Amino acid sequence: MAVAEGLAKTQRGNSFLSSSRKMLINGEWVESASGKTFPVYNPATGEELIQVAEGDKEDIYRAVDAARRAFEEGPWSKTTPNVRGKMLWKLSELIEENADTFAELESLDNGKPCTVAKAADVALAVELFQYMAGWATKVDGRTMQLSTPDTFGFTLREPVGVCGQIIPWNFPLLMAAWKLGPALACGNVVVLKPAEQTPITALLLGELIQEAGFPDGVVNIVPGYGETAGAALSGHPGVDKIAFTGSTEVGRLILQAASGNLKKVTLELGGKAPNIVFNDADIDAAKAGAALGIFFNQGQVCCAGSRLYVEKKEFDNVVGSLVDAAKAMKIAPGMDPACELGPLVSDEQLDRVTGFVNRGKEAGAEALVGGDPVGGNGYFYKPTVLTNVNPDMEVVREEIFGPVVVAQPFDDIDELARQANDTPYGLSAGIWTSDISKAHKMASKLKAGTVWINCYNVFDAHLPFGGYKQSGIGREMGPEVIDHYTEVKSVCIAL
Ligand code: NAI
Ligand code: MG
């Protein structure tokens, strides 16, 4: 008997939590080969939510075999692009129909506000699958006039094959969508490993994938730990491509594991984004943007605006407003409709954030607000604004992945650009100014995969997302992701 019965409000949500969940291999919901399960916790209370089948090497190998068969022999190999597109669209509709269930399960599993899960995570997942449904019929090669006499050349864009996809816990459903959407649009097959902290919505998605008509073995979902199931997937010699979102540290391990059979690799890793406010900005908009940039999703966002730079004249004004915003936030379990800041995902993440801030304070940083956990059983951490920092401090250099921002004043634009880029990361950046020329010049100076000007955290299925430097390899979403899920075959004909 799971403890979670009665926590969800929808019928499907409740029945989903009423027994332990299995893994999806070859179109069947099965126990793990070892028979083992692992616990998933409700971060708002620290109580166990549910037990989930614990995948390991043997399960991954079975899943890869099933995927390979589906790719080479099954009906999927003969499915036309328009049918793939229809299935993806159908899947988007099924997610929309189950939006309340997805939102509440995501909230119970990850901790985020249920309202935000519905408006952001679920809505963006729906849009992503719809966008990728459109791509299914538009993946073309080109024809060429070659300089070799009496020849004709053309290219085909073919699916890469078996894709291993390893996703994190901060946006569990949305990260599954970002990975599965383009893979399926291009005709690939997938073994997906959700994060051990948050496997639930990926498993519900698996049910809908079956309802949408994807043939058996096309999508296999194997929950489990990173060091076991994740490592087995990234090292498997029969996997053609690995796509990963998570820590830079594990990104390096994946790259090494992928070197055995030289898998294609795309990585979406950490960040330490500068969010830059100039004196001439719409200051009210910038204030809201500074708060959204760091407190959205409890700060557990790879593109979070975690380094706030404010031009001197407005520094006290903007930072003061951020402190007020932090104080006003309603901290509550994600299922509370009034919740604005939920718990962090796990006790491990709470310890990590607590450690970073404590070491920062020891090094001389001043917490204007927050600076410690809320206390109690849940994994809540207070929204925190740190000042009095210098560029060498750990809190300025490392990704904290919690609701913690370091605020620094600036007065010289060239020095600011140097500081903003003084990081191994390069995922995103924010600029707030009403001077269009300054905005363009600054955007081109910043070494980041996404630059938001007078906005923050805007995600769109047509806007590619990914990192410069150690924030990753490749791009997700947009037309760019299609390149990462296709191989180019050049065909040359002697006439
Ligand atoms: P992680 O990188 O360990 O976990 C992400 C995924 O990788 C999970 O599915 C996990 O099971 C898997 N994984 C872990 N070790 C693996 C291995 N050896 N081989 C294959 N897969 C493996 O991230 P973690 O430990 O949960 O969080 C640590 C830090 O990573 C966070 O504080 C944050 O700074 C960063 N992070 C960044 C994310 C992003 O969106 N870029 C998401 C999650 C974490
Ligand atoms: Mg880890």
Side-chain angles (χ1 to χ4, degrees), residues 169 196-197 226-227 244 247 249-250 253 348 352:
W169 42 261
E196 56 270 36
Q197 296 86 351
E227 297 74 12
F244 170 75
S247 62
E249 181 195 355
V250 173
L253 294 178
E348 188 189 359
R352 193 179 280 135

Side-chain angles (χ1 to χ4, degrees), residues 334-397:
M335 290 299 281
D336 181 336
C339 170
E340 291 171 327
L341 194 88
L344 301 181
V345 72
S346 62
D347 52 353
E348 188 189 359
Q349 196 60 20
L350 181 63
D351 285 348
R352 193 179 280 135
V353 172
T354 306
F356 273 123
V357 176
N358 286 349
R359 290 191 296 278
K361 288 191 289 193
E362 278 159 29
E366 183 190 350
L368 295 181
V369 62
D372 48 13
V374 171
N377 292 335
Y379 314 135
F380 296 91
Y381 196 89
K382 293 177 193 163
T384 298
V385 179
L386 299 177
T387 53
N388 209 10
V389 294
N390 68 59
D392 298 326
M393 280 185 187
E394 188 192 35
V395 284
V396 178
R397 306 206 66 79

Side-chain angles (χ1 to χ4, degrees), residues 171-303:
F171 296 91
L173 172 68
L174 186 59
M175 291 302 101
W178 282 19
K179 296 278 184 285
L180 288 166
L184 298 172
C186 297
N188 296 279
V189 294
V190 175
V191 177
L192 176 78
K193 195 206 78 67
E196 56 270 36
Q197 296 86 351
T198 56
I200 294 179
T201 48
L203 296 173
L204 178 61
L205 185 65
E207 292 187 354
L208 303 193
I209 285 169
Q210 291 183 294
E211 285 175 41
F214 289 93
D216 293 349
V218 172
V219 177
N220 305 273
I221 304 177
V222 183
Y225 292 99
E227 297 74 12
T228 51
L233 186 56
S234 49
H236 194 299
V239 171
D240 301 302
K241 176 201 162 69
I242 196 97
F244 170 75
T245 299
S247 62
T248 296
E249 181 195 355
V250 173
R252 285 199 182 88
L253 294 178
I254 301 237
L255 208 49
Q256 284 164 12
S259 71
N261 67 331
L262 291 174
K263 293 177 184 65
K264 311 285 176 269
V265 180
T266 45
L267 303 173
E268 202 264 273
L269 308 175
K272 190 75 180 175
N275 196 6
I276 301 164
V277 182
F278 289 98
N279 286 337
D280 60 22
D282 172 342
I283 292 294
D284 286 341
K287 287 173 176 173
L292 174 76
I294 191 61
F295 298 140
F296 175 60
N297 213 45
Q298 295 63 244
Q300 301 165 130
V301 185
C302 47
C303 54

